[in-house]
Amino acid sequence: MKKMFTDCRLVSMDTDVIRTEGYQVRDNHMIAVENGSIVAVGENLSTSGYQMVSLENRLVTPGLIDAHTHIIFAGDRSGEFEQRLQGVPYEQIARNGGGILSTVKATREASIEELVSLALPRAKALMRDGVTTIEVKSGYGLTVEHEIKMLKAAKGLEQELDVNITTTLLGAHALPPEFKNNSDGYIALVCEEMIPAAAESNLADAVDVFCEGIGFSPEQMARVFEAARSHGLQLKGHTEQLSNLGGSALAAEMGALSVDHIEYLCEEGVKALAENGTVATLLPGAFYFLRETQKPPIDWLRQHNVPMAIATDFNPGTAPFASLTLMMNMASTLFGLTPKENLYGVTRHAAKALGLNKKGQIAAGFDADFAVWDLTSPAQLSYQVGLAPLHARYLKGVKANDD
């Protein structure tokens, strides 16, 4: 099918963030799509042989990409919210058996069908924000059986909705109770059984590790990453959220697509990201919800030209926010990012954080995934929250069913 989208007020994101052209609104533009891919973008394209689709002078951006979520889970952790409001720190809640492990128990008890059902409204909320691609992590099973179950649920979610799903195995998310005081033993299980099982069943695109004092050491992360690379899987890291262990630099040196959180990242770590082309994924929702005070090193990231992605980190314990535009607003109000940096962070740079080289831009050769907005300026995506300005989403040139 050949389609020509006309009357577009286009924000293409097709140039580097240091320049401005890709963020400028280009009036009266057209987008030619063939077999789901963009073949041309311009003002006066030949329309011969194309089905014409007028977008009626609406603002058009690439489909938004949420590059870090944990939307597959069961259970409720609102009680922890109350504890934190009473002054109990997250680390203490985790050490007392709460936190991730409370979600692990509920998730293990849920079926694949139940996990998909629970995740549907979360994913639909993101879709209402113009999201066309969602990264979904496992990490609440912590056994081979239950991590595979979570990845299958993520794939099942994609079958239910008009949205792209990428999957990340986060087996090294927390130490399960079966391996108490034996973290090396659990890492061996992740490397020798969990990663091979996920790779052989084609259920995971990447492997992630929570490298932190309450998680796993840089040395253990390196073991997991070596196993992931040996099975052809991409690398991602939860690093420098609560302390500076050097995990971000190590992940970058090993070829990680992104390192996420990074509130305690030092300048040497930033330089390592720049040298290795690793994306810094900012998660302002978790920063806000945990009432943290240590901000990511935005000035250093800018100084060293490190691409910054922005994601929801949607999860039951530390970031229960199913709105990527809210994260854009928080990235500005909490971290000082500009609206331009925000939009790059949920399109072009988010795509890079997931290794998706055909998404995140409206340009020839890219997938025809875009969002159509009842807005006058792209800055409004960062400025206002909750007004549902989305008119439509398109995936590979086909209007998505958002009912």
Side-chain angles (χ1 to χ4, degrees), residues 35-56:
N35 299 317
S37 295
I38 299 169
V39 295
V41 176
E43 291 186 78
N44 295 295
L45 303 181
S46 172
T47 61
S48 177
Y50 284 91
Q51 175 187 344
M52 308 298 288
V53 181
S54 173
L55 296 182
E56 301 174 333

Side-chain angles (χ1 to χ4, degrees), residues 19-36:
R19 300 170 64 191
T20 61
E21 290 92 332
Y23 181 70
Q24 290 177 341
V25 178
R26 301 168 181 175
D27 291 327
N28 302 313
H29 265 55
M30 306 166 76
I31 307 169
V33 176
E34 297 183 15
N35 299 317

